[in-house]
Amino acid sequence: MAKYIVEGGRRLDGEVEIHGAKNAVLPILAATLLVGKSTILNCPSLSDVAAACAILEHLGARVTKEADRIEVLTDQLTSSTIPEHLMREMRSSVVFLGAIIARCGKARVSMPGGCELGPRPIDLHLSAFEKLGVKIEEDHGYLECTVPDKLRGANITLDFPSVGATENIMLAACTALGETVIHNPAREPEIVDLAAFLQKAGAKIEIGENGTIYIQGVPDLVGVEHRVIPDRIEAATYLCCAAITGGRVVLREVIPSHMNAIFPILEEAGCGLAIKPDTIVLHAPKRILAPKMIRTMPYPGFPTDAQSPLMAVSCVAEGSTIFIENIFENRYKQAGELARMGAKVKVEGRVAVVEGVPKLHGAELVSTDLRGGAALTCAALSAEGVSQIKDIYHIERGYQDFDKNLKSLGAIMETVDD
Ligand code: EPZ
């Protein structure tokens, strides 16, 4: 197991090129099961992407990855089962379910385990599949999905705009008979990117003004080449790292409009932002002012994935910040680790109150989850003294070259075997 050793106190200054979005490439890799040959560009090198490619190969697809280009051939699928160890490796593997059922007419997957963010139910996915004509039986921790007749379009209303459920419905509905309408779907940019991939493959998908998704089933889809959108959460994380060190960062290859909910918070914190079509420049003040309140919401609201890094920034701000986490049940696990650095964080259910302190001190820390680990690294960059951050495998799930990029911005850190 590797760990970061970070010597804090250095002001970050420099440029970072943002990679393709993890949360766009994962559902698109599932979508490759619906077409013969796909080429995906701008894919980040992440352990979650490797896990998704392992699932495709287990199903019989041929996958080749060269740098940021992944090619998938699915003309000879040999299985419709995702075994336990592959399902457990990545919680979002559940998004393969819709594509496997649409392609194979059946699927057998193990129930996705919970994760560090709390139980990760998939009730919205399963009830939508049943409306589309899927029969689902639970068998010793496995879900046995079959299609007794045919997948038929349905009118589906999500009582929560679940990203994964929206993606699964899209993947199952593209080649179903008739029309599927998804009311109250997720509206994240990654959903739009999945729709773009599917439309290129011949799917008939329209996204209405109010976000409602209309899908007319087609008999089959054709192979495509698609470039994945940039990772808005990776971008937000580097903005936080510059902000917490009173630094300056230029982010290239971004789509600023995907981050509109984040900018006002950083400006309230006293950061100067210059937004260009594919670039963001942030100048931070010597000491951040505490944003009053940060409440996470479905897109286009403030993204839950940026909550942890912003919490790290608020720990050294002038004033107090109230966080309200409306998406996940247990997304403050980084709070305990931040407290080891001298942060003043009080958590009560979905509410966390952070009272900014002038300085954090280095400590021995353990990454709790992907974004929590990034938040601890962000805090360590500004802390006085040396911090160690263990279990960085969490971070490597979602950040390519995180340490390399931070060092290029001036951070003093190294990655060593623990
Ligand atoms: C996606 O997870 C992202 N992951 C998450 O990013 C992101 O935080 C989340 O969307 C919200 O934006 C990927 O895209 C791979 P949800 P997902 O279904 O699809 C509840 C990261 O850090 N729910 O929108 O799992 C669920 O428990 C990751 O990159 C149900 O109750 O999120 C959660 O509380 C973390 N029943 C809430 O909805 C269901 O059937 C949001 O879940 C499905 C979800």
Side-chain angles (χ1 to χ4, degrees):
M1 302 275 210
K3 64 183 176 185
Y4 291 151
I5 298 177
V6 180
E7 185 184 324
R10 292 290 299 260
R11 179 179 174 279
L12 297 192
D13 189 344
E15 296 198 4
V16 174
E17 188 172 307
I18 295 303
H19 299 102
K22 166 179 82 81
N23 292 349
V25 75
L26 294 178
I28 286 173
L29 284 170
T32 63
L33 289 168
L34 302 177
V35 304
K37 175 181 175 187
S38 307
T39 302
I40 309 167
L41 306 173
N42 199 30
C43 287
S45 294
L46 302 168
S47 49
D48 268 9
V49 172
C53 292
I55 289 173
L56 288 172
E57 288 173 330
H58 174 85
L59 297 170
R62 280 168 292 155
V63 182
T64 48
K65 184 171 188 318
E66 284 141 34
D68 70 349
R69 175 197 169 96
I70 293 183
E71 191 173 276
V72 184
L73 295 170
T74 66
D75 50 339
Q76 291 163 9
L77 293 189
T78 53
S79 168
S80 57
T81 297
I82 305 183
E84 169 106 19
H85 72 281
L86 289 180
M87 277 302 279
R88 281 197 180 280
E89 205 159 304
M90 183 179 65
R91 192 254 161 228
S92 37
S93 320
V94 70
V95 81
F96 278 84
L97 197 48
I100 298 171
I101 292 170
R103 174 67 188 266
C104 308
K106 61 178 179 175
R108 178 178 163 81
V109 298
S110 78
M111 289 293 281
C115 78
E116 52 280 330
L117 305 182
R120 299 289 289 276
I122 57 170
D123 53 310
L124 299 176
H125 301 239
L126 302 184
S127 56
F129 283 146
E130 286 169 341
K131 290 196 182 85
L132 292 165
V134 182
K135 187 163 157 269
I136 300 168
E137 286 162 314
E138 197 170 329
D139 162 29
H140 296 86
Y142 268 80
L143 288 174
E144 199 69 61
C145 303
T146 53
V147 182
D149 175 17
K150 283 204 174 298
L151 282 177
R152 293 181 187 285
N155 217 334
I156 297 168
T157 298
L158 290 174
D159 59 20
F160 179 85
S162 154
V163 170
T166 303
E167 291 163 348
N168 250 332
I169 298 165
M170 290 165 74
L171 292 166
C174 275
T175 54
L177 287 175
E179 181 182 50
T180 295
V181 182
I182 312 173
H183 300 284
N184 190 33
R187 304 173 65 172
E188 274 69 3
E190 293 77 23
I191 299 279
V192 178
D193 206 31
L194 173 62
F197 175 91
L198 292 167
Q199 286 161 338
K200 279 184 198 170
K204 293 202 176 341
I205 300 179
E206 299 298 325
I207 301 182
E209 277 307 298
N210 61 356
T212 302
I213 298 175
Y214 302 87
I215 303 171
Q216 297 296 336
V218 294
D220 51 39
L221 300 174
V222 297
V224 292
E225 178 166 301
H226 181 76
R227 181 177 176 79
V228 166
I229 56 171
D231 195 318
R232 59 197 169 100
I233 306 302
E234 182 191 35
T237 305
Y238 285 114
L239 293 179
C240 290
C241 292
I244 200 170
T245 60
R248 169 189 172 278
V249 70
V250 179
L251 300 184
R252 302 215 180 279
E253 304 291 321
V254 290
I255 301 179
S257 63
H258 289 170
M259 303 170 67
N260 283 338
I262 297 169
F263 298 144
I265 302 281
L266 291 170
E267 285 165 339
E268 183 188 355
C271 294
L273 287 169
I275 312 290
K276 299 180 186 127
D278 63 355
T279 306
I280 299 169
V281 183
L282 177 140
H283 288 264
K286 192 145 176 45
R287 188 182 180 192
I288 287 289
L289 305 171
K292 294 277 171 300
M293 179 178 282
I294 294 175
R295 57 160 65 93
T296 65
M297 296 297 282
Y299 193 88
F302 186 89
T304 173
D305 295 345
Q307 175 257 102
S308 323
L310 245 304
M311 179 178 281
V313 175
S314 67
C315 288
V316 291
E318 196 175 321
S320 297
T321 302
I322 299 172
F323 288 83
I324 304 175
E325 172 55 58
N326 291 308
I327 307 296
F328 285 105
E329 270 177 25
N330 181 14
R331 199 161 204 178
Y332 291 132
K333 292 186 81 172
Q334 71 279 356
E337 294 299 301
L338 290 168
R340 292 167 58 82
M341 304 174 82
K344 289 188 179 158
V345 189
K346 284 195 179 53
V347 174
E348 186 69 42
R350 287 182 179 255
V351 178
V353 180
V354 179
E355 187 190 333
V357 296
K359 268 285 168 205
L360 296 175
H361 53 74
E364 291 213 356
L365 307 164
V366 179
S367 281
T368 52
D369 58 274
L370 164 55
R371 308 300 175 184
L376 296 179
T377 309
C378 181
L381 292 169
S382 91
E384 265 170 356
V386 178
S387 300
Q388 295 196 13
I389 297 144
K390 297 183 176 180
D391 292 355
I392 60 168
Y393 64 87
H394 285 292
I395 301 173
E396 289 165 343
R397 284 187 42 218
Y399 294 92
Q400 178 180 338
D401 301 330
F402 194 42
D403 51 348
K404 191 166 137 241
N405 280 334
L406 290 174
K407 283 193 275 193
S408 76
L409 292 173
I412 300 178
M413 67 186 286
E414 52 177 333
T415 304
V416 298
D417 271 340
D418 184 10

